[in-house]
Amino acid sequence: MGGSVYSLNIYSLVSLVLSSSANQYLFGWTRIESAISLDTSIIENMYNSKNVSIGFLLCVNLFAGFEAEALPYDYSATIECLAEPEKPQYYGGIIQNPELNNGLEGWSAFGDAIIDHRESLGNKYVVAYTRNQPHDTVSQKIYLQKDNHYVLSAWIRVSEGNAPVTAVVKTSEGFRHAGVTVAESNCWSMLKGGLTADKSGPAELYFQSKNTSVEIWIDNISLQPFTEKQWSSHQYQSIEKARKRKVLVKAVDEEGNPLPNATISITQKNSAFPIGSAINKYIVNNNAYQNWFSSRFTVATFENELKWASTEYSQGKEDYSVPDAMLKFAKDHNIRVRGHNIFWDDPKYIPNWVSALSPDQLKSAVEKRIQSVVSRYKNQLIAWDVVNENLHFSFFESKLGQNFSAWVFTEVNKIEPTQTLFLNEYNTIEESRDSEANPTKYLQKIQQIKNYPGGASLPIEIGIGLESHFPNTPPNIPYMRSAIDTLASTGYPVWITEIDVAEQTNQAGYFEQVLREAHSHPRVQGIVLWTAWSPDGKCYRICLVDNNFNNLPGGDVVDKLLREWGIKNISGTTDQNGFLRTSLFHGDYIVEINHPSKKNHNLSKHLKVIPNDDSKKTSQFLKFSM
């Protein structure tokens, strides 16, 4: 699209609005509120042409915004290893000679590596070889602007086998890890990541690998800066497209004449997008906790109460009374529950009696655990975290073999064949320096499960559970978004399952940042906070309320965002043509209308705002007779 702003007459605008393809062209642009005044008589004639007789018309349409930012964010990522690399995103951004078509212009050796410009089948790239240290490689000098968000992508290959390759940005303050991929020798892999500049100044981008025996091949590099305002516009546009629909309300009298100055009130009853928090046993007998939680959240995860160490502390003595009571609370308040977890691979959290079992005894105990907990809660939960943190830990694999996770998924699926089953892991999106659980490693684990005998044919989706425990440093928001891009390219469900931020200066502000980023990503299907209340004030990392359930700073952030994301009432009056325009989050609403000429005559009706489906009409209608 370049930097052009297109001028559309009202007829072409209406055509675009009614076309599903219009959303693709307009996605990512910032809305200009008063950019155009819709001729409502044209819209009215379009409706009248369909011979719709109505007293009160409510039309839900997906209207795209209008362009203000010339460069939308590219949410795409490629996880396939390709024979030839794709073109650089954003035409390379600030990278000089991104496609290596001009030899080594802009590129230089880093450390003691030797670099070479090569060409294969018309494709040109740079190679770093004779590497004795991980940082012996190729680099380009760049200049960073303070507070800009930089999105990085590159295509990487190695000379033999496979090896992790990390993108690093060297600044005057130190070294920033911007992303990683596992590169192959017979094809090109995409690395996607990013960073936020702490200060303005010169820097250097390079690509390193701990495997010094391989050559590193690099091509089609991009580093695109976005200002904070531009980044926020991406979030806004993504929410408008993925989470909301525009609503056009028309009020008419019994003869079909427009009713100006009619008062329309719209009240959300339920939000379609699941936002919740962890809860614990204290909620069972605490009415204040119950009221506070149920007035805000639509989904819950039990903090510890479903874990093996809680339900079978001593071998053979199972006790589900606490999770049963917690589940009853959830059901009574229409709160959906994620099952957490069936197995936890961290040896610290294995029940003591389990750790002492022989492999054969352990296998029997594992089988009993699956049958017990999964069968008990069959059809009562919305998901299961099947294996927890098994990219970082491997207790069960060390005892029962490397196919343990894949085997467990197939066994659980036999009991819950329609349930979404999740891996659940930390540091995949919140910590770019953690090589154990980066997006590529996560996807390799999913592939291992799918490759298990019989796994490929299982009618299950492997859910991608991202704990999102952000450390005590400012969050790397561009890396977070890019990592989700990579994971979401599988098409599997992505949930933020345990999000919080460690204690630090501006903890609440950073909490808001990561929540906004998670909610705005179009492929995230739900968010769970790891903020269970405790009477001793010892929350895991961030408390939302005090013992009287008055908000702490984290609670203020959550309430602010919940109001912004839909838990609020909307009211307005129709214009001279009987129209009221608004935008609603997906969910259930009560719509009420009254008019000065119709005293004591209020009408109401239920409205369900649903995501736009390109296979269906983009409009919904409600009739009222006034």
Side-chain angles (χ1 to χ4, degrees):
M1 301 294 289
S4 302
V5 177
Y6 290 85
S7 175
L8 303 174
N9 63 38
I10 185 63
Y11 297 99
S12 61
L13 172 64
V14 171
S15 298
L16 277 174
V17 165
L18 297 179
S19 166
S20 61
S21 63
N23 301 321
Q24 299 172 8
Y25 288 101
L26 297 173
F27 180 66
W29 296 353
T30 298
R31 181 179 62 175
I32 302 178
E33 286 287 355
S34 58
I36 188 167
S37 176
L38 285 175
D39 185 343
T40 53
S41 64
I42 294 176
I43 301 176
E44 181 178 4
N45 289 336
M46 292 172 63
Y47 295 142
N48 290 339
S49 68
K50 299 183 183 298
N51 298 315
V52 179
S53 177
I54 44 181
F56 173 59
L57 169 67
L58 199 155
C59 163
V60 180
N61 254 315
L62 183 59
F63 290 93
F66 299 96
E67 179 180 19
E69 302 293 344
L71 193 62
Y73 179 81
D74 188 345
Y75 285 94
S76 68
T78 302
I79 58 173
E80 295 82 10
C81 197
L82 303 180
E84 296 295 333
E86 295 176 349
K87 292 293 184 180
Q89 294 185 325
Y90 313 107
Y91 303 101
I94 64 172
I95 294 297
Q96 182 183 2
N97 189 20
E99 298 183 58
L100 282 302
N101 289 332
N102 298 326
L104 293 176
E105 179 183 320
W107 298 95
S108 58
F110 192 88
D112 295 326
I114 298 175
I115 64 172
D116 192 16
H117 186 259
R118 298 181 188 174
E119 181 174 349
S120 175
L121 301 176
N123 181 55
K124 299 174 182 178
Y125 51 95
V126 62
V127 175
Y129 59 100
T130 64
R131 303 175 52 251
N132 297 312
Q133 300 293 330
H135 61 265
D136 290 341
T137 183
V138 61
S139 71
Q140 181 166 135
K141 289 181 170 55
I142 55 177
Y143 190 90
L144 301 179
Q145 295 283 351
K146 186 177 186 298
D147 296 330
N148 270 3
H149 297 305
Y150 289 84
V151 178
L152 170 72
S153 62
W155 287 85
I156 311 293
R157 189 168 169 174
V158 292
S159 55
E160 59 184 34
N162 61 73
V165 176
T166 302
V168 181
V169 175
K170 179 184 177 183
T171 72
S172 61
E173 301 294 309
F175 299 86
R176 302 282 303 278
H177 285 225
V180 63
T181 191
V182 177
E184 304 287 342
S185 59
N186 58 349
C187 52
W188 293 87
S189 300
M190 185 182 190
L191 183 157
K192 192 171 187 183
L195 74 158
T196 300
D198 296 329
K199 60 184 297 186
S200 296
E204 196 162 6
L205 169 67
Y206 64 91
F207 301 86
Q208 69 175 22
S209 176
K210 292 180 180 178
N211 185 344
T212 58
S213 66
V214 299
E215 300 176 352
I216 301 176
W217 303 7
I218 307 164
D219 198 7
N220 292 357
I221 308 95
S222 175
L223 188 66
Q224 176 61 45
F226 293 101
T227 65
E228 182 59 43
K229 183 178 179 180
Q230 291 169 327
W231 200 264
S232 296
S233 79
H234 301 153
Q235 294 176 336
Y236 172 85
Q237 286 295 330
S238 178
I239 288 171
E240 288 295 308
K241 179 179 174 66
R243 308 273 183 250
K244 301 176 71 176
R245 291 181 81 173
K246 293 290 184 180
V247 175
L248 179 65
V249 179
K250 185 181 181 184
V252 297
D253 62 21
E254 56 269 23
E255 277 133 25
N257 300 312
L259 273 178
N261 299 317
T263 300
I264 309 294
S265 298
I266 304 174
T267 303
Q268 186 189 64
K269 307 306 291 184
N270 289 295
S271 173
F273 184 81
I275 300 177
S277 174
I279 58 175
N280 53 36
K281 62 185 179 182
Y282 299 113
I283 204 166
V284 173
N285 297 310
N286 190 320
N287 289 332
Y289 191 2
Q290 293 182 8
N291 293 335
W292 174 83
F293 190 93
S294 61
S295 66
R296 287 164 172 78
F297 300 120
T298 60
V299 65
T301 298
F302 299 171
E303 189 176 34
N304 294 305
E305 288 77 6
L306 269 178
K307 295 170 182 174
W308 200 357
S310 297
T311 62
E312 193 177 4
Y313 184 78
S314 299
Q315 186 172 11
K317 295 181 180 180
E318 294 182 331
D319 183 358
Y320 288 101
S321 59
V322 173
D324 283 353
M326 294 171 68
L327 183 59
K328 182 181 185 304
F329 154 75
K331 289 180 176 179
D332 289 345
H333 293 84
N334 199 30
I335 294 167
R336 294 171 290 173
V337 176
R338 298 188 73 256
H340 177 78
N341 52 57
I342 301 176
F343 296 107
W344 195 350
D345 244 330
D346 188 342
K348 291 190 301 184
Y349 301 106
I350 301 295
N352 290 334
W353 64 268
V354 172
S355 300
L357 298 178
S358 68
D360 288 343
Q361 292 171 329
L362 179 60
K363 180 70 178 297
S364 296
V366 162
E367 291 172 342
K368 182 175 180 290
R369 163 69 175 170
I370 294 171
Q371 288 297 322
S372 176
V373 72
V374 180
S375 297
R376 185 180 190 90
Y377 297 108
K378 182 177 181 180
N379 299 325
Q380 299 184 72
L381 309 177
I382 61 171
W384 265 115
D385 290 334
V386 177
V387 184
N388 203 49
E389 300 177 356
N390 72 331
L391 294 177
H392 284 98
F393 307 105
S394 57
F395 171 83
F396 292 100
E397 286 80 359
S398 68
K399 302 287 187 179
L400 301 177
Q402 292 305 305
N403 280 330
F404 170 79
S405 295
W407 172 80
V408 171
F409 268 81
T410 60
E411 293 301 303
V412 174
N413 177 248
K414 292 175 183 177
I415 303 172
E416 284 274 33
T418 61
Q419 186 65 275
T420 303
L421 307 180
F422 281 77
L423 287 172
N424 197 47
E425 193 54 80
Y426 66 90
N427 279 357
T428 304
I429 66 172
E430 65 267 39
E431 180 51 84
S432 61
R433 296 170 296 179
D434 190 338
S435 61
E436 297 300 319
N438 62 64
T440 303
K441 289 285 187 70
Y442 200 118
L443 297 181
Q444 287 178 339
K445 193 68 176 182
I446 290 179
Q447 194 58 49
Q448 178 188 345
I449 293 170
K450 298 295 287 184
N451 288 342
Y452 181 75
S457 61
L458 286 173
I460 61 175
E461 293 181 309
I462 306 296
I464 297 173
L466 304 171
E467 294 183 13
S468 310
H469 295 295
F470 285 82
N472 60 348
T473 55
N476 185 343
I477 298 297
Y479 178 79
M480 175 183 178
R481 184 183 290 184
S482 294
I484 297 175
D485 293 346
T486 300
L487 295 162
S489 64
T490 61
Y492 292 128
V494 176
W495 273 63
I496 307 299
T497 57
E498 305 181 17
I499 193 168
D500 59 19
V501 174
E503 185 176 358
Q504 60 192 293
T505 302
N506 196 32
Q507 181 187 27
Y510 293 144
F511 192 41
E512 180 175 344
Q513 283 185 25
V514 297
L515 286 172
R516 286 190 179 280
E517 188 60 44
H519 179 258
S520 68
H521 197 288
R523 298 301 300 275
V524 170
Q525 295 186 8
I527 298 172
V528 177
L529 317 176
W530 208 247
T531 52
W533 174 80
S534 177
D536 61 9
K538 294 180 180 179
C539 307
Y540 181 68
R541 281 186 170 179
I542 183 170
C543 293
L544 302 186
V545 292
D546 62 20
N547 279 5
N548 295 315
F549 291 91
N550 296 314
N551 274 0
L552 298 171
D556 286 337
V557 166
V558 171
D559 282 354
K560 169 186 173 182
L561 294 179
L562 289 177
R563 287 192 298 270
E564 184 178 322
W565 296 340
I567 300 180
K568 60 184 177 182
N569 298 331
I570 298 173
S571 62
T573 56
T574 55
D575 63 19
Q576 62 182 359
N577 296 307
F579 283 99
L580 173 72
R581 301 172 185 83
T582 189
S583 179
L584 298 177
F585 285 90
H586 304 147
D588 294 310
Y589 296 83
I590 296 296
V591 182
E592 296 180 312
I593 180 173
N594 62 73
H595 192 271
S597 66
K598 307 287 183 179
K599 293 182 180 180
N600 302 317
H601 187 53
N602 296 340
L603 298 175
S604 66
K605 201 165 186 179
H606 171 259
L607 167 67
K608 189 177 186 67
V609 179
I610 60 175
N612 180 50
D613 184 339
D614 289 341
S615 67
K616 300 177 182 178
K617 294 181 179 179
T618 59
S619 301
Q620 300 172 213
F621 299 94
L622 287 179
K623 287 185 179 180
F624 282 81
S625 179
M626 291 204 72

